Amino acid sequence: MKYATLGNTGLQVSRLCFGTMTFGDGRGMFKAIGAVGQAAADELVKTSIESGINFFDTADVYTEGESEKILGQSLKNLKIARQHVVIATKVYGRVGPGRNDVGASRGHIMDGVEASLRRLQTDHIDLYQIHGNDSITPVEETLRALDTLVQQGKVRYIGCSNWQAWKIAKALGICEFKNLARLDTLQAYYSIAGRDLEREIVPLLESERVGLLVWSPLAGGLLSGKFSRASQKPADSRRSQFDFPIVDKERTWKILDAMAPIAKAHECSAARVSLAWLLAKPVVTSVIIGAKHPSQLQDNLAAVELTLTQDELRRLDEVSALPPEYPGWMMPFQGADRLEVVDRFKQFR
């Protein structure tokens, strides 16, 4: 296993993080995602620990809190010392019918952290993340609540998930100006089939040294190797029942076509190549992998040992490149003659 610092901190986390969204009894929307019980979860956590993973991610909404409960119990069952693992969880999603049972208000955050601590059977959360964008709560209220938790010792580091670039930038400015605990991470969707993050968010994260934790690196299973242009709805895949996250399918088939000879050359799965492509991106701190079966986990774990050649990375980058959008295409055009006199208009003639 390889390790990286969590954003601009001294905390070391494994480049692969084990995500526990599959833990629980599969109620509601999570029925399509997985129903991993305690015994099977213990085995997956044990395999993760033995492989060198020290980073585990969950959320209070995963199977109505069951994911947190099972993860906490697995660590107890396996007698894993608390200081040897980094536990990340999230707050924001609806956890009850009340008007304040959702969001990033101070009230909901304070209620949410206490509930998560109980379920996880721990006295602190290493990384506490706001799970979504709250369009009602002022961002300063959210940040002050998180700062309080850090000062209390209930939370050690803070992050956000699924936020826009402008809001992350605003939050970082508030944290610095008000001397509040700083956002250390963003958890976001990123895959070779979904590179939208690269337009605005990746440059921001690199500039401000905010860590990137990747969710759904296989695009909800679309890059697992089960899907292809000829097999677009395999019966044994969750994506066939739960078509998420949103992906340009036609573009994805072209990516998978280009990936096939690379996977064959390395004698591995398309999933492993997809993960290795992400791990080669300097902005990525850790990639969150999930599994329902040990074989899935073992295949994903092997991605840290796969090093793609520069030519392979170039081919994958080219076939998955984003279509140009303004102002992205304007900046290199205007900046082309910044260091020397060149004909900026040549390509348009």
Side-chain angles (χ1 to χ4, degrees):
M1 184 55 61
K2 298 173 183 176
Y3 301 85
T5 54
L6 188 74
N8 192 29
T9 78
L11 187 67
Q12 294 274 310
V13 296
S14 47
R15 296 296 313 281
L16 292 179
C17 170
F18 187 78
T20 64
M21 191 165 60
T22 58
F23 289 5
D25 56 13
R27 71 187 76 169
M29 64 170 282
F30 294 93
K31 183 176 183 180
I33 295 171
V36 175
Q38 190 67 60
D42 289 357
E43 189 62 32
L44 292 170
V45 171
K46 181 174 182 289
T47 299
S48 298
I49 293 287
E50 290 174 346
S51 74
I53 285 180
N54 71 342
F55 196 14
F56 294 85
D57 180 75
T58 184
D60 59 3
V61 293
Y62 294 165
T63 320
E64 300 175 13
E66 287 300 306
S67 172
E68 288 183 326
K69 286 182 182 178
I70 292 173
L71 174 60
Q73 191 59 48
S74 282
L75 296 173
K76 294 286 184 181
N77 292 346
L78 297 169
K79 296 180 172 57
I80 305 300
R82 180 64 184 86
Q83 68 269 26
H84 292 162
V85 291
V86 176
I87 298 176
T89 191
K90 300 181 282 291
V91 64
Y92 168 80
R94 180 165 290 282
V95 294
R99 286 192 176 268
N100 293 309
D101 290 337
V102 63
S105 67
R106 185 178 187 88
H108 186 59
I109 289 171
M110 294 304 182
D111 290 342
V113 74
E114 296 296 343
S116 288
L117 288 169
R118 286 194 300 271
R119 287 190 290 262
L120 288 164
Q121 301 182 60
T122 185
D123 63 354
H124 72 276
I125 293 164
D126 296 290
L127 176 63
Y128 201 45
Q129 305 155 98
I130 303 301
H131 206 168
N133 174 55
D134 189 331
S135 60
I136 297 174
T137 304
V139 67
E140 185 171 336
E141 176 182 340
T142 298
L143 295 170
R144 285 191 178 278
L146 293 173
D147 182 72
T148 297
L149 296 180
V150 172
Q151 299 305 320
Q152 291 175 343
K154 294 177 180 178
V155 167
R156 294 188 173 175
Y157 300 92
I158 61 172
C160 60
S161 179
N162 304 317
W163 279 19
Q164 312 96 310
W166 70 262
K167 187 165 186 175
I168 299 169
K170 180 178 181 178
L172 291 171
I174 291 172
C175 291
E176 183 172 0
F177 184 70
K178 301 288 187 178
N179 196 29
L180 303 175
R182 185 179 189 267
L183 288 178
D184 294 306
T185 60
L186 168 71
Q187 186 174 144
Y189 166 59
Y190 188 28
S191 76
I192 194 171
R195 297 176 60 181
D196 308 70
L197 207 68
E198 296 175 4
R199 297 196 189 279
E200 297 286 346
I201 293 178
V202 165
L204 169 65
L205 300 183
E206 291 177 329
S207 170
E208 302 306 314
R209 298 188 67 185
V210 174
L212 175 60
L213 312 178
V214 176
W215 63 260
S216 203
L218 300 181
L222 199 60
L223 301 169
S224 64
K226 298 177 182 178
F227 289 82
S228 67
R229 194 184 302 273
S231 177
Q232 299 189 17
K233 281 198 172 183
D236 59 342
S237 174
R238 88 178 194 211
R239 178 110 201 183
S240 298
Q241 307 172 54
F242 190 66
D243 197 12
F244 184 85
I246 297 171
V247 173
D248 182 335
K249 301 286 180 61
E250 185 56 38
R251 183 162 158 269
T252 303
W253 306 143
K254 294 177 182 177
I255 293 169
L256 288 171
D257 288 344
M259 192 179 290
I262 295 174
K264 184 177 180 180
H266 289 278
E267 298 182 333
C268 69
S269 66
R272 202 181 302 178
V273 174
S274 299
L275 294 173
W277 179 86
L278 276 171
L279 290 168
K281 297 296 180 183
V283 71
V284 173
T285 301
S286 188
V287 176
I288 301 171
I289 58 172
K292 292 183 285 186
H293 309 292
S295 58
Q296 291 175 312
L297 179 56
Q298 292 289 359
D299 186 61
N300 289 348
L301 288 170
V304 294
E305 304 300 330
L306 175 58
T307 300
L308 300 174
T309 68
Q310 288 303 308
D311 179 64
E312 289 168 340
L313 289 171
R314 178 190 57 77
R315 282 186 279 157
L316 292 174
D317 283 342
E318 287 178 354
V319 75
S320 64
L322 293 170
E325 281 189 0
Y326 179 84
W329 55 259
M330 188 62 172
M331 290 183 286
F333 168 68
Q334 284 189 308
D337 62 355
R338 180 65 179 82
L339 296 177
E340 60 180 326
V341 178
V342 297
D343 183 357
R344 292 189 291 118
F345 295 89
K346 183 178 182 180
Q347 62 179 307
F348 297 106
R349 293 195 184 98

